[in-house]
Amino acid sequence: MTSTPSSNGLRAARRRSLPWQALVDAAMLLLWGLMLLRFTVTGKLYLLLHPDYMWLAHLAMVLLLAMGVSRLIQVWLSYRQGTGQTIRSQEHTALLPRQFSVALLIAIAVFGLVYTPRPFASETAFQRGITDVLGQTRSRPQRFSLGGASEERTIVDWVRTLNVYPEPDAYAGQVAQVSGFVTHIPNWPDEFVMISRFVLTCCAADAYPVGLPVELPPGTARPDPDTWLEVKGEMQTSTLDGKRQLAIGDPTLTEIPEPRTPYEY
Amino acid sequence: MTQLNNGITLFFSLLVEAMPFLLLGVMFSSVLLLFVDEQKLLAVIPKNVVLAALAGSLIGFLFPVCECGNIPVARRLLTKGAPTAVAIGFLLAAPTVNPVVFWATWIAFRDQPEIVFLRVGFTLIVAVTIALIFSAQADVRPFLQENLTRMMGPEPVAAAPAEAEISPLLRSGTFLMQSPGQVLQLDAPPAQVLAQVAVATPPMVTRLRMMVDNMVLELRELGAVLVIGSAIAAFVQVAVPREVILGLGQGPVTSIVAMMALAWVVSICSTVDSFFALSFASTFTSGSLLAFLVFGPMIDLKNISLLLTVFKGRAILYLFVLAAQLVFLLALVMNLYTS
């Protein structure tokens, strides 16, 4: 489509100069692909996305790497042939200067290659309104199979079950075994903490916290916020903030390392 | 420090979630550029302006892209000479009225199918209305960014943009002045003259290569814009406590306003926003959920920066105000008369 100027001098000058623009583009594509690869390999993708959508990120990773490699091959071929033909582009519609766009994208990819994302913790849970969490989840009873033993339920299973049938007395005496991080709720007595998890519906941007109150055995030191615990106890009804709530009573607390997939889905 | 970490995690989460859709978007856009004959596409679009707006709104069924992907396609449609009604209809409706989003919404709101169908219906009403309002203006060019109008050329059929790179004044030969900025070299080889007059159809390999070139080009630009938009969205999410937005109320009016504000701030991709809305389904009115699902994909914090690659600020303001008012009205009617 383009008629290249056929001046011999220009062509000779181009012959041995590297097409920097194409090389930088290739670097950008490869770095983005590598960033996604790193998130995938290190499992940090679990902190960012719902597992259902991970194939999309993987697809993007493959596409980006393929585009980067094909661009490199293209550069190498044209360099070896000495045609000096730079990568043609159909148009330049620059809202941002090209160098700025490339620099920004490369910088973000490099940052993504060195930065380790961290899961949300209790401070965020509190900020995102963990207190009224029981009302915020929408339960889809047919999607949960709660036929199993009560100790197999996760925090979010409990919260969804409570949403279907909120009367706390109905669950009294059932055994609960859940894991999550500790959140301190202001206004609660010292012997109560919230054991909580974030629930992801698609990505970290919409993570919302759910939690169950835990009544600590007498004489137990209050665990620090963000400590990951496995809590095993019996369900009881407690009155917190003037509200009757389901709580885990008389628990055994076991400190656990932060799980690879800290969110629930 | 926690806030900063959260912000960065959110930022990468938005990027990682949006990047595949952006890739899909630029891919479809590049396919449209090189493999779809614009003449044929324009020929099948009805001449009647209402039907054209409706047709534009339904093109999304052929291009399952979300709002980060539809802007390059809309931009391409404009450069291919699509009427304003078609382009605006597509821009506003395509992120919602497409099979992927329909499927996602259906999964999320299987128990409330009215949400799924009303989402599509409301989107079509709003998109067609705004498309009609915009097409009342005979020439849409004053609303568009200059680099785009330059590509559109003086006629609806786009001029070969690569020509602009080499000034015709620097070449020797016999030229025929055509419309401003275009010359036809008469003593060039006949094939070249023909190529300048007729639509050029390069061989498949070249077209594939051009497609990849174009993808890289669009990805570079739109990717940078997406980075900035996601950064802003992440910052606002971290800086503004969610209770402030949610605490605005449960009333028929305030819930709609709150959900629209949330949609605007969260900037979540239309392909996955129904799952996000699902988590509010028990606390918010159906009308406000619909407002979220209809308004979010049209205009949000993230895609305003993408919209700026097509429109001037004034036009985006019009789009924003019109879409907000229409969505609000429809959602309010829904809240007041159906619940």
Side-chain angles (χ1 to χ4, degrees):
Chain A
M1 209 182 253
T2 319
S3 52
T4 357
S6 52
S7 147
N8 283 332
L10 201 65
R11 193 170 274 185
R14 271 188 184 178
R15 186 165 295 160
R16 285 294 128 186
S17 72
L18 280 169
W20 286 111
Q21 184 184 328
L23 282 178
V24 170
D25 281 348
M28 175 196 86
L29 293 165
L30 289 173
L31 282 171
W32 268 82
L34 287 174
M35 180 184 89
L36 289 173
L37 183 68
R38 173 176 178 257
F39 285 153
T40 306
V41 170
T42 57
K44 294 300 173 195
L45 208 52
Y46 283 99
L47 303 185
L48 304 174
L49 286 183
H50 190 289
D52 284 0
Y53 300 108
M54 279 185 190
W55 67 273
L56 281 167
H58 297 154
L59 180 73
M61 175 184 79
V62 172
L63 279 176
L64 286 166
L65 289 174
M67 280 165 72
V69 169
S70 75
R71 180 122 298 203
L72 278 185
I73 293 173
Q74 205 177 325
V75 169
W76 185 66
L77 284 178
S78 61
Y79 182 69
R80 206 183 49 160
Q81 287 165 2
T83 51
Q85 190 186 33
T86 44
I87 310 301
R88 284 168 301 166
S89 47
Q90 287 289 302
E91 69 213 32
H92 282 285
T93 50
L95 177 78
L96 303 163
R98 191 182 62 80
Q99 290 89 341
F100 176 80
S101 304
V102 178
L104 185 67
L105 284 168
I106 288 182
I108 293 301
V110 170
F111 183 57
L113 281 168
V114 293
Y115 178 82
T116 305
R118 270 172 247 171
F120 297 132
S122 61
E123 195 181 312
T124 319
F126 184 65
Q127 195 222 348
R128 291 196 176 184
I130 194 171
T131 42
D132 56 350
V133 75
L134 297 185
Q136 270 202 25
T137 49
R138 182 178 171 80
S139 68
R140 309 244 63 83
Q142 65 271 38
R143 274 169 61 188
F144 321 121
S145 49
L146 294 175
S150 64
E151 58 260 40
E152 280 169 17
R153 287 178 204 166
T154 61
I155 295 177
V156 70
D157 288 338
W158 277 107
V159 169
R160 283 168 177 158
T161 316
L162 272 173
N163 254 24
V164 178
Y165 192 74
E167 173 52 51
D169 282 345
Y171 308 96
Q174 293 191 8
V175 181
Q177 184 174 8
V178 295
S179 61
F181 60 87
V182 172
T183 310
H184 291 177
I185 309 288
N187 309 330
W188 280 14
D190 275 350
E191 65 268 26
F192 279 96
V193 294
M194 182 84 98
I195 187 91
S196 12
R197 283 270 192 157
F198 274 95
V199 180
L200 241 58
T201 44
C202 91
C203 62
D206 61 64
Y208 61 97
V210 294
L212 288 171
V214 177
E215 185 173 8
L216 301 170
T220 314
R222 209 180 191 196
D224 287 331
D226 298 334
T227 319
W228 279 84
L229 290 180
E230 187 169 84
V231 179
K232 189 172 183 181
E234 258 187 28
M235 283 305 187
Q236 61 177 41
T237 305
S238 305
T239 305
L240 290 165
D241 261 347
K243 209 165 83 181
R244 286 175 68 241
Q245 286 197 22
L246 189 66
I248 306 176
D250 193 27
T252 46
L253 309 175
T254 321
E255 204 163 315
I256 53 169
E258 182 188 301
R260 189 163 174 265
T261 56
Y263 306 129
E264 285 181 358
Y265 309 102
Chain B
M1 203 55 202
T2 318
Q3 295 293 76
L4 184 66
N5 270 322
N6 285 346
I8 295 171
T9 304
L10 277 178
F11 170 70
F12 275 114
S13 164
L14 282 174
L15 280 185
V16 168
E17 191 227 323
M19 187 45 81
F21 294 102
L22 191 64
L23 269 172
L24 278 180
V26 297
M27 201 187 290
F28 280 121
S29 159
S30 305
V31 169
L32 195 66
L33 169 72
L34 295 160
F35 293 93
V36 173
D37 187 344
E38 67 271 25
Q39 300 305 331
K40 281 182 194 157
L41 185 76
L42 291 181
V44 293
I45 283 171
K47 291 284 171 279
N48 177 300
V49 72
V50 180
L51 291 178
L54 195 61
S57 306
L58 292 172
I59 293 179
F61 257 94
L62 302 175
F63 300 98
V65 291
C66 77
E67 76 259 31
C68 10
N70 79 321
I71 294 170
V73 180
R75 192 162 78 166
R76 177 85 43 247
L77 281 173
L78 279 168
T79 60
K80 294 266 183 184
T84 318
V86 175
I88 301 272
F90 175 78
L91 189 72
L92 295 176
T96 310
V97 187
N98 75 56
V100 179
V101 173
F102 187 85
W103 173 68
T105 318
W106 179 260
I107 297 286
F109 289 94
R110 211 176 303 158
D111 282 358
Q112 293 164 274
E114 72 272 14
I115 295 258
V116 185
F117 294 106
L118 283 175
R119 180 181 195 186
V120 173
F122 281 7
T123 301
L124 285 178
I125 293 172
V126 173
V128 169
T129 311
I130 295 179
L132 289 178
I133 292 170
F134 266 75
S135 56
Q137 166 118 352
D139 188 7
V140 76
R141 257 157 258 219
F143 284 135
L144 303 177
Q145 290 287 350
E146 270 163 28
N147 49 27
L148 182 64
T149 52
R150 232 180 289 133
M151 270 193 313
M152 288 166 71
E155 295 296 318
V157 178
E163 285 294 310
E165 284 168 21
I166 306 137
S167 168
L169 297 175
L170 296 180
R171 285 182 286 174
S172 59
T174 311
F175 295 94
L176 188 64
M177 262 324 255
Q178 294 192 303
S179 45
Q182 275 183 301
V183 287
L184 183 61
Q185 190 173 4
L186 287 178
D187 52 357
Q192 217 171 317
V193 179
L194 268 178
Q196 286 188 31
V197 178
V199 181
T201 46
M204 196 63 174
V205 181
T206 318
R207 278 201 286 174
L208 269 175
R209 200 185 122 167
M210 279 159 64
M211 193 188 106
V212 176
D213 286 354
N214 192 66
M215 273 181 73
V216 175
L217 186 89
E218 292 203 339
L219 193 66
R220 192 169 60 206
E221 173 159 340
L222 296 174
V225 174
L226 176 73
V227 166
I228 296 172
S230 303
I232 296 170
F235 173 78
V236 175
Q237 275 212 59
V238 173
V240 182
R242 249 172 223 215
E243 295 100 327
V244 172
I245 293 174
L246 295 184
L248 281 170
Q250 300 250 328
V253 173
T254 48
S255 64
I256 298 174
V257 175
M259 278 314 258
M260 281 169 70
L262 192 65
W264 193 73
V265 170
V266 170
S267 303
I268 196 164
C269 229
S270 63
T271 327
V272 290
D273 65 354
S274 43
F275 301 106
F276 181 80
L278 190 64
S279 59
F280 296 100
S282 58
T283 43
F284 276 75
T285 55
S286 299
S288 68
L289 292 178
L290 270 171
F292 177 92
L293 293 171
V294 174
F295 184 63
M298 289 184 179
I299 288 166
D300 60 32
L301 199 54
K302 178 186 65 190
N303 80 356
I304 277 187
S305 48
L306 286 171
L307 278 172
L308 272 170
T309 62
V310 178
F311 292 104
K312 288 186 176 157
R314 191 162 48 103
I316 297 176
L317 185 71
Y318 294 158
L319 275 175
F320 178 82
V321 170
L322 284 170
Q325 285 176 340
L326 283 166
V327 171
F328 179 80
L329 271 179
L330 288 169
L332 192 63
V333 168
M334 162 107 183
N335 267 354
L336 293 179
Y337 292 101
T338 63
S339 53

